[in-house]
Amino acid sequence: MEKDNQIPFEQDHDELDEETLFIVSQTFKALSEPTRIRILHLLSDKEHSVNEIAEKLSLLQTTVSHQLRFLKNLRLVKYRREGTTLYYSHDDNHVMDILKQTISHARHH
């Protein structure tokens, strides 16, 4: 019998605490918005400035800034400052793995 490449759940199936439930639901909320998915997908390869993200994704800078703030608050992206420019990159490999697997799943069907 062939096994799927699935990540096993923890053996302990106790009820989830409120903080864990909140974090999981917020993560899925972040991944439920197409613009945030596009931004995270772009950041999966390398860091980009707000202007670069806006240009590459044909979005308004204000839209990008708003979505990056949302993602930063969830610690899904981080930034570094170079002069007056902020460069954003992803900050959670687990979530990026989920995103990549979900994109692969969508393309498979």
Side-chain angles (χ1 to χ4, degrees):
M1 186 183 298
E2 188 175 321
K3 285 188 171 183
D4 289 335
N5 290 330
Q6 295 179 352
I7 300 170
F9 282 103
E10 294 179 16
Q11 293 299 319
D12 185 6
H13 290 290
D14 290 340
E15 188 171 330
L16 296 170
D17 62 84
E18 290 300 315
E19 181 180 2
T20 301
L21 283 171
F22 179 76
I23 293 169
V24 170
S25 68
Q26 290 301 297
T27 301
F28 279 110
K29 179 180 178 181
L31 295 176
S32 71
E33 208 286 320
T35 301
R36 290 192 288 263
I37 293 170
R38 293 176 69 210
I39 291 170
L40 285 170
H41 184 255
L42 181 65
L43 296 177
S44 67
D45 291 331
K46 67 176 194 164
E47 67 180 11
H48 293 278
S49 70
V50 174
N51 289 335
E52 290 171 340
I53 296 168
E55 184 178 315
K56 288 180 185 271
L57 300 180
S58 300
L59 297 168
L60 295 174
Q61 182 181 3
T62 55
T63 301
V64 172
S65 294
H66 174 76
Q67 298 300 344
L68 287 169
R69 191 174 319 110
F70 184 92
L71 294 168
K72 184 180 166 297
N73 287 339
L74 290 173
R75 294 182 295 190
L76 300 181
V77 299
K78 60 185 175 185
Y79 69 89
R80 69 174 180 85
R81 182 181 300 274
E82 190 173 295
T84 59
T85 304
L86 299 178
Y87 290 92
Y88 285 85
S89 59
H90 69 85
D91 194 24
D92 191 318
N93 287 327
H94 298 107
V95 173
M96 296 308 289
D97 289 344
I98 291 168
L99 179 61
K100 288 176 185 177
Q101 288 178 5
T102 305
I103 290 169
S104 176
H105 171 75
R107 288 179 172 164
H108 178 73
H109 286 358

